[in-house]
Amino acid sequence: NAGELNVGSNCEVYVGPTNDGTFLKTVAKSAHVARINTSHITAGQSACLAFSLNKELRKKLRRGMVVLQESPTATKEFDAEICVLKGEGTTIRRSYQAYVHILNVRQSAFAREIEIVNNNALGLPPSHNAKEDTEGIVLRPGSRAKVRFEFAQRPEYIRPGMRMLFRDGRVRGVGIITGIP
């Protein structure tokens, strides 16, 4: 979300993460913004970068990768504080799977652990006796909880403070990433 990049022969960057969670160290040779050659890119610009990669490494590039100047780490698990917005007739339990959107990351993720944030987290009227199910905590629309998610396919580069959206059928929810274990 923030930063700048000066391209050229001495501009070493890390591109990734690849499917195994590693980052490719390479050189950003040139950049184009709106088909105009430039040597300086800032955050928020849409740019085309030319990397010094051989054919084998080029095959590892995919959508959703990041370009960073410092050595980063990718993670498969993250903690988030979420709020379920809508989804009548659906309950969210441990091992619930949803499609997660975090900036440029779009991937399916499992809910590994769920912890209720406040006492009336189920968003039900006070007359309803909200309690834990036999399989653990159950979340419904209006619920707020801290959830540990695990990506289903590959590790991704995410940071605390990033906003997320998750969806599954008619279920929609939003959240903020609070930590990386």
Side-chain angles (χ1 to χ4, degrees):
N1 289 17
E4 55 187 299
L5 182 67
N6 290 312
V7 297
S9 60
N10 60 349
C11 177
E12 289 193 348
V13 294
Y14 294 89
V15 180
T18 58
N19 287 340
D20 61 354
T22 60
F23 285 77
L24 306 172
K25 187 174 182 181
T26 184
V27 174
K29 297 189 295 187
S30 66
H32 287 194
V33 175
R35 296 185 182 177
I36 297 171
N37 196 15
T38 184
S39 62
H40 184 79
I41 302 168
T42 58
Q45 287 183 314
S46 181
C48 176
L49 295 170
F51 297 120
S52 177
L53 294 171
N54 62 25
K55 194 172 188 178
E56 199 61 36
L57 293 177
R58 259 195 312 252
K59 289 180 182 177
K60 294 184 177 184
L61 296 180
R62 62 173 172 82
R63 283 180 64 120
M65 288 187 157
V66 294
V67 178
L68 300 162
Q69 288 186 314
E70 69 277 353
S71 180
T73 57
T75 184
K76 225 169 144 105
E77 286 189 337
F78 63 94
D79 296 327
E81 191 168 315
I82 64 164
C83 178
V84 182
L85 299 177
K86 69 179 215 175
E88 298 300 322
T90 304
T91 56
I92 298 174
R93 294 187 168 100
R94 227 177 84 246
S95 78
Y96 169 78
Q97 185 176 3
Y99 203 69
V100 175
H101 299 260
I102 307 168
L103 280 181
N104 56 337
V105 174
R106 280 138 181 77
Q107 192 181 145
S108 187
F110 293 98
R112 291 293 176 215
E113 298 172 19
I114 299 176
E115 177 186 324
I116 293 177
V117 172
N118 56 12
N119 291 338
N120 195 17
L122 297 180
L124 301 170
S127 61
H128 189 282
N129 189 7
K131 61 182 182 247
E132 290 190 16
D133 194 299
T134 57
E135 297 178 21
I137 298 170
V138 175
L139 302 178
R140 291 193 174 88
S143 304
R144 295 178 57 87
K146 289 183 181 178
V147 180
R148 174 163 290 176
F149 285 99
E150 180 184 349
F151 287 120
Q153 294 156 347
R154 61 183 143 334
E156 298 286 358
Y157 175 75
I158 53 177
R159 299 180 317 268
M162 288 177 137
R163 290 178 296 210
M164 65 172 280
L165 178 135
F166 64 92
R167 63 186 177 88
D168 171 43
R170 293 185 315 213
V171 178
R172 301 284 185 272
V174 295
I176 295 178
I177 295 174
T178 57
I180 312 288

